[in-house]
Amino acid sequence: MNPPFVDIHTHTAKPSANLIQIVNLDLNQPCPEHGYFSYGIHPWALDDAEFQAEKALQILEEKLKLPQVLALGEAGLDKMHKASFERQIELFERQIKLSEALKKPMVLHDVRSHNEIIALRKKHKAVQPCIVHGFSGTEQDIKQLIGQGIYLSVGESLLHPERKIYKSFKFIDLDHLFLETDMAEIGVEKVYESAANLLEMDINVLKTRIFANFAALWNTGKTEPAF
Ligand SMILES: [Zn+2]
């Protein structure tokens, strides 16, 4: 048994055997037929004076209907960013509704907004799984998010011993863990190696566990999602 690597969030397709990746595309990019993708409206989109929310949401809805689009993302909230937090919340709520209506899990950009994300998911009775990507928080953040059933995805920060995630990583329950490359120009294999070292775990066991999470989210026990 040689489970595939899963790169749950990347901006660059890195074709390789035995790798499943969800490639994040911009709304104006056409969706390739093969592979797995995500589309969403990032809160930073609000910076653009020309941004038209209704139009973007309409395009997003069409993209999400494609079977190879596995997730809605990145969407979320960013307290450190200049865009009005109220407008960010409005946009995020609309996307929670789309995620629920079209039954697509969400990949979240969450900067100091755990409380709001949890509260808004409750408000909308969200049942679609969600993954906080680029996670780099503390043990307490981990408990708070996983306590709400939220998945955490960690990226190349695991290659940097000085980052706080390096110490807190072991507190992430394996049933709620994903790994990713995001913008980094490395293979996800490197992230897996570092994660396996930190957990003192065989890399194949780690691959099996993470692939099981992937299969659970997208309802398949097979080696590939069912479409
Ligand atoms: Zn990203």
Side-chain angles (χ1 to χ4, degrees), residues 9-11 24 42 74 107 109 133 180 182-183:
H9 177 76
T10 177
H11 291 260
N24 192 84
H42 199 285
E74 299 172 47
V107 175
H109 174 87
H133 101 88
E180 66 179 44
D182 196 16
M183 302 278 196

Side-chain angles (χ1 to χ4, degrees), residues 173-187:
D173 147 34
L174 288 178
D175 290 337
H176 288 88
L177 175 66
F178 285 105
L179 297 173
E180 66 179 44
T181 56
D182 196 16
M183 302 278 196
E185 290 185 7
I186 52 168

Side-chain angles (χ1 to χ4, degrees), residues 36-77:
Y36 302 122
F37 305 92
S38 62
Y39 286 93
I41 308 170
H42 199 285
W44 299 354
L46 293 166
D47 293 350
D48 181 355
E50 315 269 282
F51 175 71
Q52 293 176 286
E54 292 310 320
K55 196 172 155 210
L57 286 160
Q58 228 169 45
I59 299 171
L60 176 58
E61 183 168 357
E62 290 312 308
K63 300 284 192 197
L64 290 173
K65 288 178 184 164
L66 299 169
Q68 69 272 40
V69 175
L70 296 193
L72 191 169
E74 299 172 47
L77 299 172

